[in-house]
Amino acid sequence: MANPLSPNWIRRLRWSAPILAAPLAGCNWVVMNPSGDVAVQERDLILISVALMLLIVIPVMAMIVWFAVRYRATNEATQKDYDPEWDHSTKLELLIWSAPLLIIIALGAVTWVSTHKLDPYRPLDRIDANTAIDPKAKPLTVQVVALDWKWLFIYPELGIATVNEMALPTNVPVRFDITASTVMNSFYVPELAGQIYAMPGMKTQLHAVANKVVTGTGFSANYSGAGFTHMRFGYKALDRAGFDAWVAKVKSSNTVLDRNVYLALAKPSEKAPVAYFGVNDAKLFDAVVNLCVKPGQRCMSELMHIDKMGGAGKESAKETQGLQYDVPNSHVIEQTDLNKGQETAPDAPGAAQAPADHSSHSGADAHAQHR
């Protein structure tokens, strides 16, 4: 029977435990413990890939120790196996090359299947591993805009919008339409689905579903400037009753997210507080994507349509009004705001005092007027 540890050893282990655990203090295991089916499949892909690679790594590490011990200089028993003329072994060659080759084939097959199955643009076909999605079910649409340095979420079907807070109903497929106002960001909710980039002038998509009632944090996974550190938002997955109550809470806001309010929100700010809005402009997100929210700006869709039709003629070379999109220092907090100590985004009432925007034409409407 083994002797029990002495009290001194037990005391040493107890005091050294925090030191030994210190390297794990910063670990967040949310990626390995997700609450959304897409993230679960991505976690399984990580585990399968690691397991396949360990089939090579573990034997190699074990053989390093075994060779070091067996063929050490002081082990005279191995001298009889010494063969200075040895240079080839068919069996060893087959073993050394076949095992990695089989693992690469397995990894390639898993990657090929997962790349297509987890394509962020691909609509979901299941709620979870045991529940398929009704083909007639329509996903909830959430329009995501990455601002400097905060997140704007628009629910067009519900007529609401939020800043730095996103809520989803559980077991309901969701389609995210994602863009950015000025610079590229990356939309990422680790426990819901993988990350996908948000880029100005473009619209990306992500399909996901939440399976559990949870509260978490989403953030930008791509550096985008001085306020990147605090570019985080609250994430909630709620049951149907909880989600309906949250929607009613947002709708109780008296502030409407029109284009003037959006332009105020789009100004760079850090640590922006959660804000709720009503939405009555169905074309706002399209205007953000086409970079024509400001009065007088010409939409990208209009310009692309003109190019598709063969151009607007030589005389259009002098028509540069409304073609300035990259505003100098548009991603920098103004010095006057810094002097005032303004870290949060302008509140909606203050933003409502901006000059009125009477431009509500889509790209097609603007092109029709141009013609």
Side-chain angles (χ1 to χ4, degrees):
M1 182 176 179
N3 294 328
L5 293 175
S6 65
N8 289 335
W9 273 105
I10 295 176
R11 191 178 300 109
R12 292 173 184 173
L13 290 174
R14 185 183 299 118
W15 283 101
S16 62
I19 299 176
L20 297 175
L24 301 177
C27 293
N28 187 341
W29 290 93
V30 64
V31 174
M32 294 291 106
N33 186 32
S35 60
D37 184 62
V38 174
V40 168
Q41 296 180 70
E42 292 174 345
R43 177 204 62 188
D44 294 344
L45 177 60
I46 293 174
L47 295 177
I48 292 172
S49 301
V50 171
L52 287 173
M53 290 183 285
L54 287 178
L55 292 177
I56 288 294
V57 173
I58 291 179
V60 168
M61 299 302 292
M63 291 180 67
I64 289 175
V65 177
W66 183 75
F67 270 88
V69 173
R70 179 175 175 80
Y71 296 101
R72 65 189 185 277
T74 57
N75 188 6
E76 298 179 357
T78 60
Q79 295 298 323
K80 62 181 180 179
D81 297 331
Y82 178 65
D83 185 2
E85 303 298 328
W86 182 88
D87 63 354
H88 178 74
S89 171
T90 302
K91 293 181 180 179
L92 282 178
E93 290 288 344
L94 289 174
L95 178 63
I96 292 172
W97 290 104
S98 62
L101 181 61
L102 291 174
I103 291 176
I104 291 173
I105 292 173
L107 280 173
V110 171
T111 302
W112 173 268
V113 173
S114 299
T115 298
H116 291 80
K117 188 176 182 180
L118 298 176
D119 182 353
Y121 286 81
R122 180 177 180 267
L124 302 181
D125 57 6
R126 72 182 203 181
I127 296 295
D128 54 41
N130 302 316
T131 309
I133 291 180
D134 184 356
K136 298 180 181 179
K138 183 180 179 181
L140 173 67
T141 300
V142 180
Q143 297 168 339
V144 183
V145 182
L147 303 172
D148 294 332
W149 286 274
K150 48 194 168 286
W151 292 93
L152 172 64
F153 302 96
I154 303 174
Y155 297 73
E157 299 160 354
L158 303 176
I160 60 174
T162 63
V163 171
N164 282 348
E165 182 175 282
M166 181 183 72
L168 301 176
T170 56
N171 298 323
V172 174
V174 181
R175 188 193 76 192
F176 295 99
D177 293 334
I178 306 169
T179 190
S181 60
T182 57
V183 297
M184 183 170 70
N185 279 279
S186 181
F187 175 72
Y188 188 30
V189 183
E191 57 193 307
L192 180 65
Q195 63 170 309
I196 188 166
Y197 285 101
M199 294 171 281
M202 298 180 64
K203 181 177 71 173
T204 54
Q205 281 189 357
L206 175 66
H207 289 81
V209 60
N211 300 119
K212 300 178 182 177
V213 176
V214 295
T215 299
T217 302
F219 54 90
S220 173
N222 186 81
Y223 181 74
S224 58
F228 162 78
T229 303
H230 304 290
M231 195 171 175
R232 298 172 177 267
F233 61 90
Y235 163 66
K236 298 179 181 179
L238 307 170
D239 57 23
R240 174 52 66 179
F243 181 74
D244 291 341
W246 179 83
V247 172
K249 178 182 177 182
V250 177
K251 286 186 175 181
S252 64
S253 172
N254 296 323
T255 306
V256 177
L257 180 63
D258 56 18
R259 302 198 180 196
N260 294 322
V261 175
Y262 170 82
L263 291 174
L265 287 173
K267 292 181 179 180
S269 61
E270 300 181 25
K271 302 179 182 178
V274 174
Y276 299 149
F277 305 92
V279 178
N280 57 13
D281 186 352
K283 298 179 180 179
L284 175 60
F285 182 77
D286 288 337
V288 175
V289 174
N290 286 286
L291 304 177
C292 56
V293 178
K294 291 183 179 180
Q297 280 185 319
R298 299 176 67 180
C299 295
M300 291 287 110
S301 58
E302 174 196 353
L303 299 178
M304 288 187 289
H305 182 68
I306 292 175
D307 290 340
K308 180 180 178 181
M309 301 302 293
K314 295 181 179 180
E315 64 277 5
S316 65
K318 298 179 181 180
E319 297 180 6
T320 60
Q321 185 177 4
L323 298 179
Q324 184 179 7
Y325 300 99
D326 297 326
V327 181
N329 298 323
S330 62
H331 60 287
V332 178
I333 298 178
E334 296 180 1
Q335 186 63 40
T336 55
D337 291 337
L338 291 177
N339 294 338
K340 296 176 182 178
Q342 180 175 330
E343 284 188 317
T344 58
D347 56 11
Q353 298 175 4
D357 179 3
H358 300 290
S359 174
S360 59
H361 300 292
S362 65
D365 295 337
H367 178 57
Q369 289 187 357
H370 177 73
R371 295 180 63 187

mmCIF file with all atom_site columns, all heavy atoms in Angstrom, residues 165-179:
data_model
loop_
_atom_site.group_PDB
_atom_site.id
_atom_site.type_symbol
_atom_site.label_atom_id
_atom_site.label_alt_id
_atom_site.label_comp_id
_atom_site.label_asym_id
_atom_site.label_entity_id
_atom_site.label_seq_id
_atom_site.pdbx_PDB_ins_code
_atom_site.Cartn_x
_atom_site.Cartn_y
_atom_site.Cartn_z
_atom_site.occupancy
_atom_site.B_iso_or_equiv
_atom_site.pdbx_formal_charge
_atom_site.auth_seq_id
_atom_site.auth_comp_id
_atom_site.auth_asym_id
_atom_site.auth_atom_id
_atom_site.pdbx_PDB_model_num
ATOM 1   N N   . GLU A 1 165 ? -26.748 46.307 -27.880 1.00 0.00 ? 165 GLU A N   1
ATOM 2   C CA  . GLU A 1 165 ? -27.502 45.223 -27.246 1.00 0.00 ? 165 GLU A CA  1
ATOM 3   C C   . GLU A 1 165 ? -28.253 44.455 -28.330 1.00 0.00 ? 165 GLU A C   1
ATOM 4   O O   . GLU A 1 165 ? -28.941 45.055 -29.160 1.00 0.00 ? 165 GLU A O   1
ATOM 5   C CB  . GLU A 1 165 ? -28.471 45.740 -26.196 1.00 0.00 ? 165 GLU A CB  1
ATOM 6   C CG  . GLU A 1 165 ? -29.238 44.615 -25.477 1.00 0.00 ? 165 GLU A CG  1
ATOM 7   C CD  . GLU A 1 165 ? -30.118 45.125 -24.359 1.00 0.00 ? 165 GLU A CD  1
ATOM 8   O OE1 . GLU A 1 165 ? -29.576 45.416 -23.277 1.00 0.00 ? 165 GLU A OE1 1
ATOM 9   O OE2 . GLU A 1 165 ? -31.341 45.248 -24.574 1.00 0.00 ? 165 GLU A OE2 1
ATOM 10  N N   . MET A 1 166 ? -28.123 43.137 -28.297 1.00 0.00 ? 166 MET A N   1
ATOM 11  C CA  . MET A 1 166 ? -28.818 42.296 -29.269 1.00 0.00 ? 166 MET A CA  1
ATOM 12  C C   . MET A 1 166 ? -29.509 41.163 -28.543 1.00 0.00 ? 166 MET A C   1
ATOM 13  O O   . MET A 1 166 ? -28.911 40.491 -27.691 1.00 0.00 ? 166 MET A O   1
ATOM 14  C CB  . MET A 1 166 ? -27.833 41.719 -30.297 1.00 0.00 ? 166 MET A CB  1
ATOM 15  C CG  . MET A 1 166 ? -28.496 40.851 -31.353 1.00 0.00 ? 166 MET A CG  1
ATOM 16  S SD  . MET A 1 166 ? -27.317 40.115 -32.510 1.00 0.00 ? 166 MET A SD  1
ATOM 17  C CE  . MET A 1 166 ? -26.536 38.884 -31.449 1.00 0.00 ? 166 MET A CE  1
ATOM 18  N N   . ALA A 1 167 ? -30.766 40.942 -28.854 1.00 0.00 ? 167 ALA A N   1
ATOM 19  C CA  . ALA A 1 167 ? -31.537 39.854 -28.271 1.00 0.00 ? 167 ALA A CA  1
ATOM 20  C C   . ALA A 1 167 ? -32.122 39.003 -29.379 1.00 0.00 ? 167 ALA A C   1
ATOM 21  O O   . ALA A 1 167 ? -32.514 39.518 -30.438 1.00 0.00 ? 167 ALA A O   1
ATOM 22  C CB  . ALA A 1 167 ? -32.645 40.394 -27.368 1.00 0.00 ? 167 ALA A CB  1
ATOM 23  N N   . LEU A 1 168 ? -32.174 37.692 -29.150 1.00 0.00 ? 168 LEU A N   1
ATOM 24  C CA  . LEU A 1 168 ? -32.725 36.751 -30.114 1.00 0.00 ? 168 LEU A CA  1
ATOM 25  C C   . LEU A 1 168 ? -33.652 35.780 -29.407 1.00 0.00 ? 168 LEU A C   1
ATOM 26  O O   . LEU A 1 168 ? -33.423 35.423 -28.247 1.00 0.00 ? 168 LEU A O   1
ATOM 27  C CB  . LEU A 1 168 ? -31.599 35.955 -30.798 1.00 0.00 ? 168 LEU A CB  1
ATOM 28  C CG  . LEU A 1 168 ? -30.530 36.736 -31.563 1.00 0.00 ? 168 LEU A CG  1
ATOM 29  C CD1 . LEU A 1 168 ? -29.466 35.783 -32.078 1.00 0.00 ? 168 LEU A CD1 1
ATOM 30  C CD2 . LEU A 1 168 ? -31.144 37.523 -32.706 1.00 0.00 ? 168 LEU A CD2 1
ATOM 31  N N   . PRO A 1 169 ? -34.691 35.332 -30.088 1.00 0.00 ? 169 PRO A N   1
ATOM 32  C CA  . PRO A 1 169 ? -35.533 34.276 -29.520 1.00 0.00 ? 169 PRO A CA  1
ATOM 33  C C   . PRO A 1 169 ? -34.868 32.919 -29.715 1.00 0.00 ? 169 PRO A C   1
ATOM 34  O O   . PRO A 1 169 ? -34.192 32.676 -30.719 1.00 0.00 ? 169 PRO A O   1
ATOM 35  C CB  . PRO A 1 169 ? -36.823 34.390 -30.328 1.00 0.00 ? 169 PRO A CB  1
ATOM 36  C CG  . PRO A 1 169 ? -36.385 34.941 -31.648 1.00 0.00 ? 169 PRO A CG  1
ATOM 37  C CD  . PRO A 1 169 ? -35.211 35.846 -31.361 1.00 0.00 ? 169 PRO A CD  1
ATOM 38  N N   . THR A 1 170 ? -35.029 32.032 -28.757 1.00 0.00 ? 170 THR A N   1
ATOM 39  C CA  . THR A 1 170 ? -34.428 30.710 -28.871 1.00 0.00 ? 170 THR A CA  1
ATOM 40  C C   . THR A 1 170 ? -35.178 29.862 -29.891 1.00 0.00 ? 170 THR A C   1
ATOM 41  O O   . THR A 1 170 ? -36.385 30.021 -30.107 1.00 0.00 ? 170 THR A O   1
ATOM 42  C CB  . THR A 1 170 ? -34.430 29.995 -27.510 1.00 0.00 ? 170 THR A CB  1
ATOM 43  O OG1 . THR A 1 170 ? -35.770 29.940 -27.004 1.00 0.00 ? 170 THR A OG1 1
ATOM 44  C CG2 . THR A 1 170 ? -33.549 30.724 -26.518 1.00 0.00 ? 170 THR A CG2 1
ATOM 45  N N   . ASN A 1 171 ? -34.427 28.966 -30.520 1.00 0.00 ? 171 ASN A N   1
ATOM 46  C CA  . ASN A 1 171 ? -34.968 27.990 -31.470 1.00 0.00 ? 171 ASN A CA  1
ATOM 47  C C   . ASN A 1 171 ? -35.683 28.643 -32.653 1.00 0.00 ? 171 ASN A C   1
ATOM 48  O O   . ASN A 1 171 ? -36.632 28.085 -33.208 1.00 0.00 ? 171 ASN A O   1
ATOM 49  C CB  . ASN A 1 171 ? -35.909 27.010 -30.759 1.00 0.00 ? 171 ASN A CB  1
ATOM 50  C CG  . ASN A 1 171 ? -35.192 26.198 -29.693 1.00 0.00 ? 171 ASN A CG  1
ATOM 51  O OD1 . ASN A 1 171 ? -34.036 25.823 -29.868 1.00 0.00 ? 171 ASN A OD1 1
ATOM 52  N ND2 . ASN A 1 171 ? -35.866 25.946 -28.589 1.00 0.00 ? 171 ASN A ND2 1
ATOM 53  N N   . VAL A 1 172 ? -35.223 29.832 -33.035 1.00 0.00 ? 172 VAL A N   1
ATOM 54  C CA  . VAL A 1 172 ? -35.739 30.534 -34.212 1.00 0.00 ? 172 VAL A CA  1
ATOM 55  C C   . VAL A 1 172 ? -34.555 30.847 -35.122 1.00 0.00 ? 172 VAL A C   1
ATOM 56  O O   . VAL A 1 172 ? -33.590 31.491 -34.683 1.00 0.00 ? 172 VAL A O   1
ATOM 57  C CB  . VAL A 1 172 ? -36.468 31.839 -33.827 1.00 0.00 ? 172 VAL A CB  1
ATOM 58  C CG1 . VAL A 1 172 ? -36.855 32.621 -35.068 1.00 0.00 ? 172 VAL A CG1 1
ATOM 59  C CG2 . VAL A 1 172 ? -37.700 31.537 -32.984 1.00 0.00 ? 172 VAL A CG2 1
ATOM 60  N N   . PRO A 1 173 ? -34.559 30.396 -36.368 1.00 0.00 ? 173 PRO A N   1
ATOM 61  C CA  . PRO A 1 173 ? -33.440 30.716 -37.269 1.00 0.00 ? 173 PRO A CA  1
ATOM 62  C C   . PRO A 1 173 ? -33.336 32.214 -37.500 1.00 0.00 ? 173 PRO A C   1
ATOM 63  O O   . PRO A 1 173 ? -34.350 32.916 -37.625 1.00 0.00 ? 173 PRO A O   1
ATOM 64  C CB  . PRO A 1 173 ? -33.793 29.958 -38.557 1.00 0.00 ? 173 PRO A CB  1
ATOM 65  C CG  . PRO A 1 173 ? -35.264 29.725 -38.483 1.00 0.00 ? 173 PRO A CG  1
ATOM 66  C CD  . PRO A 1 173 ? -35.603 29.593 -37.034 1.00 0.00 ? 173 PRO A CD  1
ATOM 67  N N   . VAL A 1 174 ? -32.106 32.701 -37.543 1.00 0.00 ? 174 VAL A N   1
ATOM 68  C CA  . VAL A 1 174 ? -31.850 34.134 -37.688 1.00 0.00 ? 174 VAL A CA  1
ATOM 69  C C   . VAL A 1 174 ? -30.908 34.352 -38.864 1.00 0.00 ? 174 VAL A C   1
ATOM 70  O O   . VAL A 1 174 ? -29.938 33.611 -39.046 1.00 0.00 ? 174 VAL A O   1
ATOM 71  C CB  . VAL A 1 174 ? -31.224 34.725 -36.403 1.00 0.00 ? 174 VAL A CB  1
ATOM 72  C CG1 . VAL A 1 174 ? -30.998 36.224 -36.562 1.00 0.00 ? 174 VAL A CG1 1
ATOM 73  C CG2 . VAL A 1 174 ? -32.108 34.444 -35.197 1.00 0.00 ? 174 VAL A CG2 1
ATOM 74  N N   . ARG A 1 175 ? -31.212 35.374 -39.653 1.00 0.00 ? 175 ARG A N   1
ATOM 75  C CA  . ARG A 1 175 ? -30.324 35.783 -40.735 1.00 0.00 ? 175 ARG A CA  1
ATOM 76  C C   . ARG A 1 175 ? -29.797 37.174 -40.432 1.00 0.00 ? 175 ARG A C   1
ATOM 77  O O   . ARG A 1 175 ? -30.555 38.126 -40.281 1.00 0.00 ? 175 ARG A O   1
ATOM 78  C CB  . ARG A 1 175 ? -31.059 35.809 -42.071 1.00 0.00 ? 175 ARG A CB  1
ATOM 79  C CG  . ARG A 1 175 ? -30.115 36.035 -43.272 1.00 0.00 ? 175 ARG A CG  1
ATOM 80  C CD  . ARG A 1 175 ? -30.887 36.362 -44.530 1.00 0.00 ? 175 ARG A CD  1
ATOM 81  N NE  . ARG A 1 175 ? -31.373 37.741 -44.520 1.00 0.00 ? 175 ARG A NE  1
ATOM 82  C CZ  . ARG A 1 175 ? -32.266 38.225 -45.377 1.00 0.00 ? 175 ARG A CZ  1
ATOM 83  N NH1 . ARG A 1 175 ? -32.808 37.424 -46.280 1.00 0.00 ? 175 ARG A NH1 1
ATOM 84  N NH2 . ARG A 1 175 ? -32.649 39.488 -45.320 1.00 0.00 ? 175 ARG A NH2 1
ATOM 85  N N   . PHE A 1 176 ? -28.477 37.273 -40.326 1.00 0.00 ? 176 PHE A N   1
ATOM 86  C CA  . PHE A 1 176 ? -27.834 38.556 -40.087 1.00 0.00 ? 176 PHE A CA  1
ATOM 87  C C   . PHE A 1 176 ? -27.373 39.139 -41.419 1.00 0.00 ? 176 PHE A C   1
ATOM 88  O O   . PHE A 1 176 ? -26.663 38.475 -42.185 1.00 0.00 ? 176 PHE A O   1
ATOM 89  C CB  . PHE A 1 176 ? -26.619 38.396 -39.168 1.00 0.00 ? 176 PHE A CB  1
ATOM 90  C CG  . PHE A 1 176 ? -26.955 37.950 -37.767 1.00 0.00 ? 176 PHE A CG  1
ATOM 91  C CD1 . PHE A 1 176 ? -26.835 36.613 -37.404 1.00 0.00 ? 176 PHE A CD1 1
ATOM 92  C CD2 . PHE A 1 176 ? -27.387 38.855 -36.823 1.00 0.00 ? 176 PHE A CD2 1
ATOM 93  C CE1 . PHE A 1 176 ? -27.132 36.195 -36.120 1.00 0.00 ? 176 PHE A CE1 1
ATOM 94  C CE2 . PHE A 1 176 ? -27.693 38.457 -35.533 1.00 0.00 ? 176 PHE A CE2 1
ATOM 95  C CZ  . PHE A 1 176 ? -27.569 37.120 -35.184 1.00 0.00 ? 176 PHE A CZ  1
ATOM 96  N N   . ASP A 1 177 ? -27.783 40.376 -41.701 1.00 0.00 ? 177 ASP A N   1
ATOM 97  C CA  . ASP A 1 177 ? -27.234 41.157 -42.810 1.00 0.00 ? 177 ASP A CA  1
ATOM 98  C C   . ASP A 1 177 ? -26.274 42.166 -42.186 1.00 0.00 ? 177 ASP A C   1
ATOM 99  O O   . ASP A 1 177 ? -26.675 42.982 -41.360 1.00 0.00 ? 177 ASP A O   1
ATOM 100 C CB  . ASP A 1 177 ? -28.340 41.876 -43.579 1.00 0.00 ? 177 ASP A CB  1
ATOM 101 C CG  . ASP A 1 177 ? -29.253 40.903 -44.313 1.00 0.00 ? 177 ASP A CG  1
ATOM 102 O OD1 . ASP A 1 177 ? -28.788 39.801 -44.642 1.00 0.00 ? 177 ASP A OD1 1
ATOM 103 O OD2 . ASP A 1 177 ? -30.428 41.245 -44.549 1.00 0.00 ? 177 ASP A OD2 1
ATOM 104 N N   . ILE A 1 178 ? -25.008 42.106 -42.594 1.00 0.00 ? 178 ILE A N   1
ATOM 105 C CA  . ILE A 1 178 ? -23.955 42.804 -41.871 1.00 0.00 ? 178 ILE A CA  1
ATOM 106 C C   . ILE A 1 178 ? -23.214 43.767 -42.786 1.00 0.00 ? 178 ILE A C   1
ATOM 107 O O   . ILE A 1 178 ? -22.859 43.426 -43.922 1.00 0.00 ? 178 ILE A O   1
ATOM 108 C CB  . ILE A 1 178 ? -22.959 41.784 -41.274 1.00 0.00 ? 178 ILE A CB  1
ATOM 109 C CG1 . ILE A 1 178 ? -23.720 40.751 -40.418 1.00 0.00 ? 178 ILE A CG1 1
ATOM 110 C CG2 . ILE A 1 178 ? -21.894 42.474 -40.445 1.00 0.00 ? 178 ILE A CG2 1
ATOM 111 C CD1 . ILE A 1 178 ? -22.875 39.570 -40.008 1.00 0.00 ? 178 ILE A CD1 1
ATOM 112 N N   . THR A 1 179 ? -22.966 44.980 -42.288 1.00 0.00 ? 179 THR A N   1
ATOM 113 C CA  . THR A 1 179 ? -22.164 45.958 -43.008 1.00 0.00 ? 179 THR A CA  1
ATOM 114 C C   . THR A 1 179 ? -21.447 46.839 -41.997 1.00 0.00 ? 179 THR A C   1
ATOM 115 O O   . THR A 1 179 ? -21.558 46.633 -40.787 1.00 0.00 ? 179 THR A O   1
ATOM 116 C CB  . THR A 1 179 ? -23.051 46.803 -43.950 1.00 0.00 ? 179 THR A CB  1
ATOM 117 O OG1 . THR A 1 179 ? -22.214 47.584 -44.805 1.00 0.00 ? 179 THR A OG1 1
ATOM 118 C CG2 . THR A 1 179 ? -23.959 47.730 -43.166 1.00 0.00 ? 179 THR A CG2 1
#
